[in-house]
Amino acid sequence: TNLGNAVKGKLPEEICHLTEMRQILLHNNDIQGTIPACFGRFSNIHTLVLYNNHLELPIPDEAIEGWTNLKTLFLNGNKLKGPFPQSLLKLPALEELDLGSNFLTGTFPAFNPDDIPRL
């Protein structure tokens, strides 16, 4: 799903009824707020691209725990503030992660590369 450049406001909860989606491409929009917890229903999703919006932390653990097949997560160019979300390191299939151009603080967490062989 790629809704182009016209999406404004918060992500609607209704999107969570589309549980079979494999890709969500909503970059370069004016999406605000946080990722809804119901995004955890997207167990088949492999690509989540939400860069260049106005998204904020936290990313609910309920969402992250459901992303067992997520390979690509692009959240760069948002308004993510605070420490690096540790729960992102628990994504078992993650291969690409971009959090650049945000306001994350602290240092990147120490992790064992053997625990995340694809990242």
Side-chain angles (χ1 to χ4, degrees), residues 7-15 26 30-36 39 54-56:
V7 179
K8 295 183 179 197
K10 293 186 177 192
L11 289 165
E13 294 281 332
E14 290 80 12
I15 197 171
L26 290 170
D30 190 16
I31 299 170
Q32 301 171 0
T34 60
I35 295 173
F39 267 43
H54 301 284
L55 293 169
E56 300 173 3

Side-chain angles (χ1 to χ4, degrees), residues 52-98:
N52 292 338
N53 281 289
H54 301 284
L55 293 169
E56 300 173 3
L57 291 177
I59 302 170
D61 287 339
E62 298 89 358
I64 294 170
E65 290 167 3
W67 297 341
T68 55
N69 293 303
L70 189 67
K71 293 181 179 183
T72 302
L73 178 60
F74 292 162
L75 295 173
N76 48 304
N78 279 286
K79 292 185 175 183
L80 305 180
K81 294 180 185 175
F84 178 87
Q86 298 284 326
S87 52
L88 293 179
L89 295 177
K90 297 178 184 175
L91 293 169
L94 192 64
E95 295 176 1
E96 295 181 272
L97 174 64
D98 191 343

